[in-house]
Amino acid sequence: MVSDTPAARSFMTYLAGAQAQEAWIELGGFTSVNRSVPPDAYPDPVARAVAEQLTGAEVVRFSAGDMLPASMQRAWWKGMLALVEDPSKVQSILESLDDVAKSAR
């Protein structure tokens, strides 16, 4: 939320609500932590299982990586695997991540 106004708060409340969350679920690739969204709203068994684990968890933590664009997430994980394989490539891996970040903007 950029501006804390009554209209913005109302919109955020709507987006966090079960109705809006279910609309996103129908598009796929989205899991809601809104406990009012029923498991049968998910289109497949894997998505349902993930949702049940998230909504049943006592604590859920997300990282900054969860906010990255998809292209940057893929590059990050690819880079981490490459770094584990050969730590001497750290500089080229960082340069590659910079290139992906620039193109994602």
Side-chain angles (χ1 to χ4, degrees), residues 22-88:
E22 286 183 42
W24 283 349
I25 288 166
E26 288 176 14
L27 297 173
F30 178 80
T31 305
S32 174
V33 293
N34 183 317
R35 288 183 160 96
S36 297
V37 175
D40 64 353
Y42 291 87
D44 61 80
V46 173
R48 257 188 304 283
V50 169
E52 288 171 348
Q53 288 178 357
L54 282 173
T55 57
E58 289 184 32
V59 176
V60 178
R61 291 185 178 95
F62 297 95
S63 70
D66 295 311
M67 299 301 293
L68 294 174
S71 60
M72 192 65 198
Q73 286 180 355
R74 286 189 299 273
W76 171 262
W77 286 111
K78 182 180 175 185
M80 292 305 98
L81 292 173
L83 184 62
V84 170
E85 284 181 13
D86 187 355
S88 71

